Amino acid sequence: MSCWGGTEKATFEQDFLLQKDADIVPVEVKAGGNVRSQSLKAFCDKYKPAAAVRFSLLPYREQGWMTNIPLYAVCNF
């Protein structure tokens, strides 16, 4: 998903956008060792979603602005 707003020319690419009740939850999936979520962070900074999720090889961890969920648990989300 690419979003442009106002005079900014920034791109906020997300792997998935899920609807949970009335909220939109951005989801990023990282299968490799690099788990930096620059586009997820930029999306969250601009649109202030109630929740954000990253699926990766890392263990479960809540980071305030985002929750990391291990890839093996994706079917439980």
Side-chain angles (χ1 to χ4, degrees):
M1 174 180 164
S2 297
C3 301
W4 291 274
T7 58
E8 290 179 26
K9 196 164 185 179
T11 302
F12 305 102
E13 296 179 7
Q14 296 308 301
D15 293 328
F16 301 97
L17 292 174
L18 303 177
Q19 182 175 349
K20 185 174 181 180
D21 299 323
D23 296 321
I24 298 297
V25 179
V27 177
E28 194 160 271
V29 179
K30 298 288 191 180
N34 180 8
V35 295
R36 295 190 67 179
S37 298
Q38 294 176 349
S39 61
L40 180 60
K41 179 70 170 142
F43 184 96
C44 291
D45 288 345
K46 180 167 179 113
Y47 297 105
K48 311 282 190 250
V53 175
R54 176 182 65 206
F55 290 105
S56 75
L57 298 174
L58 297 176
Y60 180 87
R61 183 172 63 169
E62 292 186 25
Q63 294 183 251
W65 66 276
M66 183 256 312
T67 300
N68 188 83
I69 299 175
L71 285 171
Y72 67 79
V74 74
C75 61
N76 294 324
F77 177 68

